[in-house]
Amino acid sequence: MAYSANAPVRRTAKPALEEHAMVVEPRTDLPTVLVVEDEWLIAEALSRAVRKLGYRALGPVGSVADALAALDAETPDAVLLDTILGHESSVAVADRLLEEATPFAFFTGYSQDDLPRRFKGCRVLTKPVSEASLKAELKTLIT
């Protein structure tokens, strides 16, 4: 049979995979950790490590505006906060976390001496971080 532009089009059924696709909902019974990091590879690796340790990762988000919006939408149990997000400081986010008494640690390549004076008592998790250090820090923040 030759091809004809007027020939009826034969439609096939949708693949079974689409019909039975499994939707995985995030577990809401796990403690939530908001990841605020602007460098995509670091943010994804950190979020993956947070999930591997048994927490629900919120984000990652990479800007001050997105971090504040995430905090408006949900109150996490803890926050890992990079000090510099793109070209802006995360000080506004840290101030809000202190104001709301949300546990957090600065997640940074800088030292605690580089933080503004009002954050001198805050926890600092130095990049790069080992899984053991991350586990210990999250346990400290969420207890």
Side-chain angles (χ1 to χ4, degrees):
M1 177 174 183
Y3 173 77
S4 166
N6 296 327
V9 176
R10 184 175 177 194
R11 303 218 183 255
T12 59
K14 290 183 179 181
L17 183 60
E18 286 182 25
E19 292 174 10
H20 301 288
M22 188 170 159
V23 176
V24 178
E25 296 293 328
R27 290 184 55 184
T28 57
D29 61 323
L30 299 174
T32 302
V33 178
L34 173 60
V35 175
V36 183
E37 168 63 58
D38 63 321
E39 297 205 26
W40 184 82
L41 287 175
I42 295 171
E44 286 299 315
L46 184 58
S47 295
R48 194 171 29 258
V50 164
R51 288 189 300 272
K52 182 179 176 185
L53 291 171
Y55 300 94
R56 185 170 67 96
L58 180 60
V61 296
S63 70
V64 169
D66 289 345
L68 294 174
L71 291 171
D72 287 340
E74 183 172 347
T75 302
D77 296 291
V79 178
L80 297 174
L81 178 65
D82 191 5
T83 54
I84 304 295
L85 301 170
H87 299 290
E88 58 186 338
S89 167
S90 65
V91 167
V93 179
D95 283 335
R96 176 154 170 197
L97 294 170
L98 284 175
E99 180 181 302
E100 295 177 356
T102 302
F104 75 98
F106 285 106
F107 179 67
T108 182
Y110 297 101
S111 74
Q112 190 157 34
D113 294 335
D114 296 319
L115 298 173
R117 177 167 282 168
R118 67 184 177 277
F119 301 120
K120 292 298 182 197
C122 293
R123 302 195 59 81
V124 175
L125 192 57
T126 305
K127 295 178 192 178
V129 65
S130 68
E131 187 175 314
S133 294
L134 178 60
K135 181 178 182 177
E137 188 63 36
L138 289 175
K139 186 175 181 180
T140 299
L141 290 171
I142 304 174
T143 52

